[in-house]
Amino acid sequence: MSGFKAGFLWGGAVAAHQLEGGWQEGGKGVSVADVMTAGAHGVPREITNGVLPGKNYPNHEAIDFYHRYKDDLKLFAEMGYKCFRTSIAWTRIFPNGDELTPNEAGLQFYDDLFDECLKLGIEPVITLSHFEMPYHLVTEYGGWRNRKLIEFFVRFANVVFTRYQHKVKYWMTFNEINNQANFHEDFAPFTNSGLKYQPGEDREPVMYQAAHYELVASALAVKAAREINPSLQVGCMIAMCPIYPLSCAPNDMMMAMNAMHRRYWFTDVHVRGKYPQHLLNYFERRGFELDITDEDRQALTQGCVDYIGFSYYMSFATKATDDNPQLDYDETTSLVSNPYVQKSDWGWQIDPVGLRYSLNWFYDHYQLPLFIVENGFGAIDVLESDGTVNDQYRIDYLSAHIAEMKKAVVEDGVDLMGYTPWGCIDLVSAGTGEMKKRYGFIYVDKDNEGNGTLARSRKKSFAWYQKVIATNGEEL
Ligand code: P53
């Protein structure tokens, strides 16, 4: 093979809560993203008890895609997008999450959005749950610590699969389901699973329980999709940060292997429909008694995913230490800085080769088609007086990653479906809630405090990516 296959899905990726705004439009309910304030690098976003007056909630307005999507999609079409990855805000369809019937105005919004995409020749790629579950499910049910959420999620999935089956072929269930491996911090448990911990609570088993219910819900959704329409393709979505050993010391290597086990077992369950033995042994050693029933095990085997969607931004590194004889991985304390790579302004390690490694790692392990559904460089952009942004650093980052992706396809034989860089239009950062951490080919005039006209303009990277798509990745 000389390059990317015909029909390769070039495009861009976003998530509803990070760009739509319109947080109370069309009957939408309050989501977990609506109760998170703006933070910064090193300043965590505050999770408030409901929406409080006087706080800055950047997702409420975001970049107002809700009202401006027609113009934004035209810009994506101008770049030549074959696909557009976004999510369906669960709270537009089931405002509280536990209703029996969906909200028609919310369903209509996505009908219109998908029709507009299709009119422009852009195939929608849809995530069901991307850090925006109904906040009501947190306050009334404790989030995904509660088994009842399986039923609510599967109802939501059934409604949207049925409604959009002729408009949307490619789906993903839970965005970056494995972020919650980072359970000591508040962000990932809350955004992945609507988990708020009591002071002193043992967080780890709660995380495993929530993830288990999500994996069962995902499997039931995959099964439902096949029953509704066998042409639907449902994938998982994994945040891939490959974890390297800091040295070739044997214990560093074992530490890295354990770290990979602890961060990526989610993929095993999604793809193979069962838990890896190392994790079952770990549960036993730690005395975690989880609610995993025979019925759940059965469901998992019947809902294995069709492809693996993943994000790739950076690699991690780890090393063994004397105070950790079991070589257990703890995402808060076990990561070390890699001396061979540079970092972004937000401390994310820049490692294009890590993308080739990740593609090979996934394909060796699972032999399923892969889809890179996020990749990108969060940076501070400067708007020039003529309205352009000279973001050569973004072009450098993306072209280096695409070059490695091409090696994985051409030289290594990985089956890759497509590539959708993250935040193809500037949007609210998930991790920090900032606007100034920008990823887009399209600049949006808005700052961290929420000031700005929301006007859109093309950055230098816009024409560059247009050419990449036009040449099917031949010209970087
Ligand atoms: P932001 C952590 C590590 C890798 C990916 O992130 C992550 C996170 C969470 O911050 O999130 C994904 O906006 C996520 C997107 C997010 C994007 O990466 O923090 O799927 O919602 O915006 C970039 O710079």
PDB file of all heavy atoms in Angstrom, residues 358-388:
ATOM      1  N   SER A 358       1.529   3.622  19.328  1.00  0.00           N
ATOM      2  CA  SER A 358       0.161   3.350  19.825  1.00  0.00           C
ATOM      3  C   SER A 358      -0.671   2.599  18.791  1.00  0.00           C
ATOM      4  O   SER A 358      -1.410   1.661  19.125  1.00  0.00           O
ATOM      5  CB  SER A 358      -0.551   4.660  20.165  1.00  0.00           C
ATOM      6  OG  SER A 358       0.132   5.333  21.188  1.00  0.00           O
ATOM      7  N   LEU A 359      -0.559   3.019  17.534  1.00  0.00           N
ATOM      8  CA  LEU A 359      -1.315   2.340  16.470  1.00  0.00           C
ATOM      9  C   LEU A 359      -0.899   0.872  16.389  1.00  0.00           C
ATOM     10  O   LEU A 359      -1.737  -0.030  16.294  1.00  0.00           O
ATOM     11  CB  LEU A 359      -1.068   3.038  15.128  1.00  0.00           C
ATOM     12  CG  LEU A 359      -1.810   4.377  14.939  1.00  0.00           C
ATOM     13  CD1 LEU A 359      -1.150   5.217  13.859  1.00  0.00           C
ATOM     14  CD2 LEU A 359      -3.286   4.144  14.619  1.00  0.00           C
ATOM     15  N   ASN A 360       0.401   0.644  16.478  1.00  0.00           N
ATOM     16  CA  ASN A 360       0.885  -0.741  16.443  1.00  0.00           C
ATOM     17  C   ASN A 360       0.468  -1.521  17.684  1.00  0.00           C
ATOM     18  O   ASN A 360       0.100  -2.684  17.605  1.00  0.00           O
ATOM     19  CB  ASN A 360       2.414  -0.761  16.302  1.00  0.00           C
ATOM     20  CG  ASN A 360       2.838  -0.659  14.848  1.00  0.00           C
ATOM     21  OD1 ASN A 360       2.837  -1.651  14.133  1.00  0.00           O
ATOM     22  ND2 ASN A 360       3.173   0.540  14.413  1.00  0.00           N
ATOM     23  N   TRP A 361       0.527  -0.863  18.825  1.00  0.00           N
ATOM     24  CA  TRP A 361       0.147  -1.528  20.086  1.00  0.00           C
ATOM     25  C   TRP A 361      -1.314  -1.990  20.016  1.00  0.00           C
ATOM     26  O   TRP A 361      -1.635  -3.141  20.307  1.00  0.00           O
ATOM     27  CB  TRP A 361       0.362  -0.570  21.263  1.00  0.00           C
ATOM     28  CG  TRP A 361       0.182  -1.228  22.598  1.00  0.00           C
ATOM     29  CD1 TRP A 361       1.135  -1.860  23.340  1.00  0.00           C
ATOM     30  CD2 TRP A 361      -1.043  -1.322  23.348  1.00  0.00           C
ATOM     31  NE1 TRP A 361       0.578  -2.348  24.502  1.00  0.00           N
ATOM     32  CE2 TRP A 361      -0.749  -2.035  24.532  1.00  0.00           C
ATOM     33  CE3 TRP A 361      -2.348  -0.891  23.131  1.00  0.00           C
ATOM     34  CZ2 TRP A 361      -1.722  -2.317  25.498  1.00  0.00           C
ATOM     35  CZ3 TRP A 361      -3.317  -1.169  24.081  1.00  0.00           C
ATOM     36  CH2 TRP A 361      -2.996  -1.878  25.247  1.00  0.00           C
ATOM     37  N   PHE A 362      -2.191  -1.072  19.596  1.00  0.00           N
ATOM     38  CA  PHE A 362      -3.616  -1.431  19.506  1.00  0.00           C
ATOM     39  C   PHE A 362      -3.831  -2.561  18.488  1.00  0.00           C
ATOM     40  O   PHE A 362      -4.575  -3.503  18.734  1.00  0.00           O
ATOM     41  CB  PHE A 362      -4.448  -0.220  19.069  1.00  0.00           C
ATOM     42  CG  PHE A 362      -4.908   0.671  20.183  1.00  0.00           C
ATOM     43  CD1 PHE A 362      -4.694   2.047  20.138  1.00  0.00           C
ATOM     44  CD2 PHE A 362      -5.597   0.156  21.282  1.00  0.00           C
ATOM     45  CE1 PHE A 362      -5.137   2.878  21.153  1.00  0.00           C
ATOM     46  CE2 PHE A 362      -6.051   0.991  22.304  1.00  0.00           C
ATOM     47  CZ  PHE A 362      -5.812   2.350  22.236  1.00  0.00           C
ATOM     48  N   TYR A 363      -3.173  -2.424  17.344  1.00  0.00           N
ATOM     49  CA  TYR A 363      -3.447  -3.398  16.281  1.00  0.00           C
ATOM     50  C   TYR A 363      -2.884  -4.776  16.633  1.00  0.00           C
ATOM     51  O   TYR A 363      -3.527  -5.804  16.383  1.00  0.00           O
ATOM     52  CB  TYR A 363      -2.892  -2.885  14.946  1.00  0.00           C
ATOM     53  CG  TYR A 363      -3.593  -3.506  13.766  1.00  0.00           C
ATOM     54  CD1 TYR A 363      -4.976  -3.407  13.640  1.00  0.00           C
ATOM     55  CD2 TYR A 363      -2.899  -4.210  12.797  1.00  0.00           C
ATOM     56  CE1 TYR A 363      -5.647  -3.990  12.577  1.00  0.00           C
ATOM     57  CE2 TYR A 363      -3.559  -4.790  11.723  1.00  0.00           C
ATOM     58  CZ  TYR A 363      -4.930  -4.682  11.631  1.00  0.00           C
ATOM     59  OH  TYR A 363      -5.593  -5.269  10.583  1.00  0.00           O
ATOM     60  N   ASP A 364      -1.706  -4.805  17.252  1.00  0.00           N
ATOM     61  CA  ASP A 364      -1.145  -6.086  17.708  1.00  0.00           C
ATOM     62  C   ASP A 364      -2.062  -6.749  18.725  1.00  0.00           C
ATOM     63  O   ASP A 364      -2.272  -7.958  18.708  1.00  0.00           O
ATOM     64  CB  ASP A 364       0.210  -5.868  18.398  1.00  0.00           C
ATOM     65  CG  ASP A 364       1.334  -5.620  17.419  1.00  0.00           C
ATOM     66  OD1 ASP A 364       1.107  -5.745  16.204  1.00  0.00           O
ATOM     67  OD2 ASP A 364       2.445  -5.291  17.881  1.00  0.00           O
ATOM     68  N   HIS A 365      -2.588  -5.936  19.647  1.00  0.00           N
ATOM     69  CA  HIS A 365      -3.404  -6.520  20.719  1.00  0.00           C
ATOM     70  C   HIS A 365      -4.772  -6.973  20.238  1.00  0.00           C
ATOM     71  O   HIS A 365      -5.280  -7.984  20.690  1.00  0.00           O
ATOM     72  CB  HIS A 365      -3.605  -5.505  21.848  1.00  0.00           C
ATOM     73  CG  HIS A 365      -2.485  -5.469  22.827  1.00  0.00           C
ATOM     74  ND1 HIS A 365      -1.287  -4.857  22.571  1.00  0.00           N
ATOM     75  CD2 HIS A 365      -2.375  -5.985  24.076  1.00  0.00           C
ATOM     76  CE1 HIS A 365      -0.486  -4.994  23.614  1.00  0.00           C
ATOM     77  NE2 HIS A 365      -1.116  -5.674  24.539  1.00  0.00           N
ATOM     78  N   TYR A 366      -5.386  -6.199  19.357  1.00  0.00           N
ATOM     79  CA  TYR A 366      -6.824  -6.410  19.127  1.00  0.00           C
ATOM     80  C   TYR A 366      -7.228  -6.715  17.689  1.00  0.00           C
ATOM     81  O   TYR A 366      -8.364  -7.139  17.460  1.00  0.00           O
ATOM     82  CB  TYR A 366      -7.594  -5.174  19.622  1.00  0.00           C
ATOM     83  CG  TYR A 366      -7.312  -4.851  21.079  1.00  0.00           C
ATOM     84  CD1 TYR A 366      -6.628  -3.695  21.436  1.00  0.00           C
ATOM     85  CD2 TYR A 366      -7.712  -5.721  22.090  1.00  0.00           C
ATOM     86  CE1 TYR A 366      -6.358  -3.396  22.764  1.00  0.00           C
ATOM     87  CE2 TYR A 366      -7.442  -5.435  23.425  1.00  0.00           C
ATOM     88  CZ  TYR A 366      -6.762  -4.272  23.754  1.00  0.00           C
ATOM     89  OH  TYR A 366      -6.499  -3.996  25.066  1.00  0.00           O
ATOM     90  N   GLN A 367      -6.353  -6.451  16.713  1.00  0.00           N
ATOM     91  CA  GLN A 367      -6.666  -6.724  15.299  1.00  0.00           C
ATOM     92  C   GLN A 367      -8.018  -6.154  14.861  1.00  0.00           C
ATOM     93  O   GLN A 367      -8.743  -6.772  14.078  1.00  0.00           O
ATOM     94  CB  GLN A 367      -6.628  -8.234  14.999  1.00  0.00           C
ATOM     95  CG  GLN A 367      -5.257  -8.862  15.095  1.00  0.00           C
ATOM     96  CD  GLN A 367      -4.917  -9.349  16.495  1.00  0.00           C
ATOM     97  OE1 GLN A 367      -5.779  -9.927  17.153  1.00  0.00           O
ATOM     98  NE2 GLN A 367      -3.718  -9.117  16.936  1.00  0.00           N
ATOM     99  N   LEU A 368      -8.367  -4.993  15.361  1.00  0.00           N
ATOM    100  CA  LEU A 368      -9.608  -4.334  14.920  1.00  0.00           C
ATOM    101  C   LEU A 368      -9.232  -3.066  14.152  1.00  0.00           C
ATOM    102  O   LEU A 368      -8.157  -2.494  14.387  1.00  0.00           O
ATOM    103  CB  LEU A 368     -10.455  -3.924  16.126  1.00  0.00           C
ATOM    104  CG  LEU A 368     -11.400  -4.929  16.763  1.00  0.00           C
ATOM    105  CD1 LEU A 368     -12.294  -4.205  17.778  1.00  0.00           C
ATOM    106  CD2 LEU A 368     -12.261  -5.652  15.747  1.00  0.00           C
ATOM    107  N   PRO A 369     -10.111  -2.607  13.244  1.00  0.00           N
ATOM    108  CA  PRO A 369      -9.857  -1.313  12.611  1.00  0.00           C
ATOM    109  C   PRO A 369      -9.712  -0.220  13.674  1.00  0.00           C
ATOM    110  O   PRO A 369     -10.400  -0.248  14.706  1.00  0.00           O
ATOM    111  CB  PRO A 369     -11.113  -1.072  11.766  1.00  0.00           C
ATOM    112  CG  PRO A 369     -11.727  -2.415  11.582  1.00  0.00           C
ATOM    113  CD  PRO A 369     -11.364  -3.227  12.785  1.00  0.00           C
ATOM    114  N   LEU A 370      -8.823   0.733  13.397  1.00  0.00           N
ATOM    115  CA  LEU A 370      -8.552   1.817  14.348  1.00  0.00           C
ATOM    116  C   LEU A 370      -8.998   3.146  13.742  1.00  0.00           C
ATOM    117  O   LEU A 370      -8.989   3.316  12.522  1.00  0.00           O
ATOM    118  CB  LEU A 370      -7.054   1.873  14.670  1.00  0.00           C
ATOM    119  CG  LEU A 370      -6.434   0.574  15.185  1.00  0.00           C
ATOM    120  CD1 LEU A 370      -4.924   0.740  15.370  1.00  0.00           C
ATOM    121  CD2 LEU A 370      -7.077   0.153  16.509  1.00  0.00           C
ATOM    122  N   PHE A 371      -9.375   4.060  14.609  1.00  0.00           N
ATOM    123  CA  PHE A 371      -9.816   5.373  14.160  1.00  0.00           C
ATOM    124  C   PHE A 371      -9.211   6.395  15.135  1.00  0.00           C
ATOM    125  O   PHE A 371      -9.515   6.343  16.326  1.00  0.00           O
ATOM    126  CB  PHE A 371     -11.361   5.417  14.190  1.00  0.00           C
ATOM    127  CG  PHE A 371     -12.021   6.534  13.404  1.00  0.00           C
ATOM    128  CD1 PHE A 371     -13.383   6.448  13.091  1.00  0.00           C
ATOM    129  CD2 PHE A 371     -11.323   7.659  12.985  1.00  0.00           C
ATOM    130  CE1 PHE A 371     -14.021   7.454  12.366  1.00  0.00           C
ATOM    131  CE2 PHE A 371     -11.944   8.667  12.265  1.00  0.00           C
ATOM    132  CZ  PHE A 371     -13.298   8.572  11.955  1.00  0.00           C
ATOM    133  N   ILE A 372      -8.328   7.258  14.634  1.00  0.00           N
ATOM    134  CA  ILE A 372      -7.761   8.312  15.495  1.00  0.00           C
ATOM    135  C   ILE A 372      -8.785   9.438  15.537  1.00  0.00           C
ATOM    136  O   ILE A 372      -8.919  10.207  14.575  1.00  0.00           O
ATOM    137  CB  ILE A 372      -6.418   8.825  14.947  1.00  0.00           C
ATOM    138  CG1 ILE A 372      -5.416   7.673  14.833  1.00  0.00           C
ATOM    139  CG2 ILE A 372      -5.867   9.934  15.860  1.00  0.00           C
ATOM    140  CD1 ILE A 372      -4.148   8.032  14.062  1.00  0.00           C
ATOM    141  N   VAL A 373      -9.525   9.531  16.622  1.00  0.00           N
ATOM    142  CA  VAL A 373     -10.639  10.482  16.677  1.00  0.00           C
ATOM    143  C   VAL A 373     -10.287  11.760  17.436  1.00  0.00           C
ATOM    144  O   VAL A 373     -11.146  12.626  17.596  1.00  0.00           O
ATOM    145  CB  VAL A 373     -11.918   9.834  17.243  1.00  0.00           C
ATOM    146  CG1 VAL A 373     -12.417   8.729  16.310  1.00  0.00           C
ATOM    147  CG2 VAL A 373     -11.703   9.291  18.647  1.00  0.00           C
ATOM    148  N   GLU A 374      -9.050  11.865  17.923  1.00  0.00           N
ATOM    149  CA  GLU A 374      -8.550  13.114  18.498  1.00  0.00           C
ATOM    150  C   GLU A 374      -7.034  13.103  18.430  1.00  0.00           C
ATOM    151  O   GLU A 374      -6.402  12.084  18.734  1.00  0.00           O
ATOM    152  CB  GLU A 374      -8.936  13.282  19.979  1.00  0.00           C
ATOM    153  CG  GLU A 374     -10.386  13.553  20.221  1.00  0.00           C
ATOM    154  CD  GLU A 374     -10.711  13.782  21.698  1.00  0.00           C
ATOM    155  OE1 GLU A 374      -9.829  14.252  22.451  1.00  0.00           O
ATOM    156  OE2 GLU A 374     -11.847  13.484  22.094  1.00  0.00           O
ATOM    157  N   ASN A 375      -6.471  14.252  18.064  1.00  0.00           N
ATOM    158  CA  ASN A 375      -5.031  14.465  18.116  1.00  0.00           C
ATOM    159  C   ASN A 375      -4.878  15.958  17.917  1.00  0.00           C
ATOM    160  O   ASN A 375      -5.619  16.562  17.147  1.00  0.00           O
ATOM    161  CB  ASN A 375      -4.347  13.681  16.972  1.00  0.00           C
ATOM    162  CG  ASN A 375      -2.856  13.977  16.825  1.00  0.00           C
ATOM    163  OD1 ASN A 375      -2.375  14.309  15.746  1.00  0.00           O
ATOM    164  ND2 ASN A 375      -2.116  13.842  17.894  1.00  0.00           N
ATOM    165  N   GLY A 376      -3.947  16.583  18.612  1.00  0.00           N
ATOM    166  CA  GLY A 376      -3.824  18.018  18.404  1.00  0.00           C
ATOM    167  C   GLY A 376      -2.936  18.689  19.410  1.00  0.00           C
ATOM    168  O   GLY A 376      -2.466  18.069  20.367  1.00  0.00           O
ATOM    169  N   PHE A 377      -2.735  19.966  19.169  1.00  0.00           N
ATOM    170  CA  PHE A 377      -1.774  20.752  19.933  1.00  0.00           C
ATOM    171  C   PHE A 377      -2.475  21.951  20.542  1.00  0.00           C
ATOM    172  O   PHE A 377      -2.883  22.872  19.830  1.00  0.00           O
ATOM    173  CB  PHE A 377      -0.654  21.199  18.978  1.00  0.00           C
ATOM    174  CG  PHE A 377       0.502  21.861  19.654  1.00  0.00           C
ATOM    175  CD1 PHE A 377       1.189  21.212  20.678  1.00  0.00           C
ATOM    176  CD2 PHE A 377       0.928  23.126  19.273  1.00  0.00           C
ATOM    177  CE1 PHE A 377       2.276  21.817  21.297  1.00  0.00           C
ATOM    178  CE2 PHE A 377       2.023  23.733  19.890  1.00  0.00           C
ATOM    179  CZ  PHE A 377       2.696  23.081  20.897  1.00  0.00           C
ATOM    180  N   GLY A 378      -2.664  21.928  21.856  1.00  0.00           N
ATOM    181  CA  GLY A 378      -3.270  23.046  22.560  1.00  0.00           C
ATOM    182  C   GLY A 378      -2.226  24.129  22.765  1.00  0.00           C
ATOM    183  O   GLY A 378      -1.204  23.885  23.410  1.00  0.00           O
ATOM    184  N   ALA A 379      -2.456  25.308  22.187  1.00  0.00           N
ATOM    185  CA  ALA A 379      -1.436  26.354  22.225  1.00  0.00           C
ATOM    186  C   ALA A 379      -2.086  27.730  22.330  1.00  0.00           C
ATOM    187  O   ALA A 379      -3.273  27.895  22.057  1.00  0.00           O
ATOM    188  CB  ALA A 379      -0.582  26.280  20.960  1.00  0.00           C
ATOM    189  N   ILE A 380      -1.268  28.705  22.714  1.00  0.00           N
ATOM    190  CA  ILE A 380      -1.719  30.101  22.752  1.00  0.00           C
ATOM    191  C   ILE A 380      -1.509  30.694  21.369  1.00  0.00           C
ATOM    192  O   ILE A 380      -0.391  30.709  20.867  1.00  0.00           O
ATOM    193  CB  ILE A 380      -0.922  30.882  23.808  1.00  0.00           C
ATOM    194  CG1 ILE A 380      -1.190  30.282  25.193  1.00  0.00           C
ATOM    195  CG2 ILE A 380      -1.266  32.372  23.764  1.00  0.00           C
ATOM    196  CD1 ILE A 380      -0.287  30.808  26.285  1.00  0.00           C
ATOM    197  N   ASP A 381      -2.575  31.152  20.747  1.00  0.00           N
ATOM    198  CA  ASP A 381      -2.489  31.733  19.408  1.00  0.00           C
ATOM    199  C   ASP A 381      -2.545  33.260  19.505  1.00  0.00           C
ATOM    200  O   ASP A 381      -3.188  33.806  20.410  1.00  0.00           O
ATOM    201  CB  ASP A 381      -3.683  31.293  18.545  1.00  0.00           C
ATOM    202  CG  ASP A 381      -3.594  29.820  18.132  1.00  0.00           C
ATOM    203  OD1 ASP A 381      -2.480  29.266  18.147  1.00  0.00           O
ATOM    204  OD2 ASP A 381      -4.644  29.249  17.789  1.00  0.00           O
ATOM    205  N   VAL A 382      -1.892  33.902  18.554  1.00  0.00           N
ATOM    206  CA  VAL A 382      -1.944  35.370  18.496  1.00  0.00           C
ATOM    207  C   VAL A 382      -2.665  35.781  17.221  1.00  0.00           C
ATOM    208  O   VAL A 382      -2.252  35.404  16.119  1.00  0.00           O
ATOM    209  CB  VAL A 382      -0.520  35.975  18.509  1.00  0.00           C
ATOM    210  CG1 VAL A 382      -0.591  37.498  18.408  1.00  0.00           C
ATOM    211  CG2 VAL A 382       0.207  35.546  19.774  1.00  0.00           C
ATOM    212  N   LEU A 383      -3.749  36.523  17.396  1.00  0.00           N
ATOM    213  CA  LEU A 383      -4.511  36.994  16.241  1.00  0.00           C
ATOM    214  C   LEU A 383      -3.826  38.230  15.653  1.00  0.00           C
ATOM    215  O   LEU A 383      -3.635  39.231  16.344  1.00  0.00           O
ATOM    216  CB  LEU A 383      -5.939  37.339  16.685  1.00  0.00           C
ATOM    217  CG  LEU A 383      -6.928  37.672  15.578  1.00  0.00           C
ATOM    218  CD1 LEU A 383      -7.228  36.460  14.709  1.00  0.00           C
ATOM    219  CD2 LEU A 383      -8.231  38.222  16.181  1.00  0.00           C
ATOM    220  N   GLU A 384      -3.409  38.152  14.383  1.00  0.00           N
ATOM    221  CA  GLU A 384      -2.755  39.296  13.736  1.00  0.00           C
ATOM    222  C   GLU A 384      -3.815  40.324  13.342  1.00  0.00           C
ATOM    223  O   GLU A 384      -5.002  40.009  13.288  1.00  0.00           O
ATOM    224  CB  GLU A 384      -2.027  38.834  12.452  1.00  0.00           C
ATOM    225  CG  GLU A 384      -1.097  37.647  12.624  1.00  0.00           C
ATOM    226  CD  GLU A 384       0.182  37.979  13.398  1.00  0.00           C
ATOM    227  OE1 GLU A 384       0.503  39.170  13.523  1.00  0.00           O
ATOM    228  OE2 GLU A 384       0.822  37.033  13.897  1.00  0.00           O
ATOM    229  N   SER A 385      -3.367  41.524  13.028  1.00  0.00           N
ATOM    230  CA  SER A 385      -4.337  42.596  12.723  1.00  0.00           C
ATOM    231  C   SER A 385      -5.146  42.289  11.468  1.00  0.00           C
ATOM    232  O   SER A 385      -6.264  42.760  11.312  1.00  0.00           O
ATOM    233  CB  SER A 385      -3.618  43.941  12.583  1.00  0.00           C
ATOM    234  OG  SER A 385      -2.543  43.781  11.675  1.00  0.00           O
ATOM    235  N   ASP A 386      -4.586  41.469  10.567  1.00  0.00           N
ATOM    236  CA  ASP A 386      -5.360  41.129   9.365  1.00  0.00           C
ATOM    237  C   ASP A 386      -6.277  39.923   9.587  1.00  0.00           C
ATOM    238  O   ASP A 386      -6.835  39.374   8.635  1.00  0.00           O
ATOM    239  CB  ASP A 386      -4.417  40.871   8.181  1.00  0.00           C
ATOM    240  CG  ASP A 386      -3.498  39.667   8.421  1.00  0.00           C
ATOM    241  OD1 ASP A 386      -3.550  39.111   9.546  1.00  0.00           O
ATOM    242  OD2 ASP A 386      -2.762  39.288   7.505  1.00  0.00           O
ATOM    243  N   GLY A 387      -6.411  39.494  10.837  1.00  0.00           N
ATOM    244  CA  GLY A 387      -7.365  38.424  11.147  1.00  0.00           C
ATOM    245  C   GLY A 387      -6.792  37.028  11.017  1.00  0.00           C
ATOM    246  O   GLY A 387      -7.491  36.038  11.263  1.00  0.00           O
ATOM    247  N   THR A 388      -5.496  36.905  10.660  1.00  0.00           N
ATOM    248  CA  THR A 388      -4.924  35.565  10.524  1.00  0.00           C
ATOM    249  C   THR A 388      -4.200  35.172  11.805  1.00  0.00           C
ATOM    250  O   THR A 388      -3.937  36.005  12.680  1.00  0.00           O
ATOM    251  CB  THR A 388      -3.920  35.498   9.352  1.00  0.00           C
ATOM    252  OG1 THR A 388      -2.904  36.462   9.598  1.00  0.00           O
ATOM    253  CG2 THR A 388      -4.605  35.779   8.030  1.00  0.00           C
TER     254      THR A 388
END
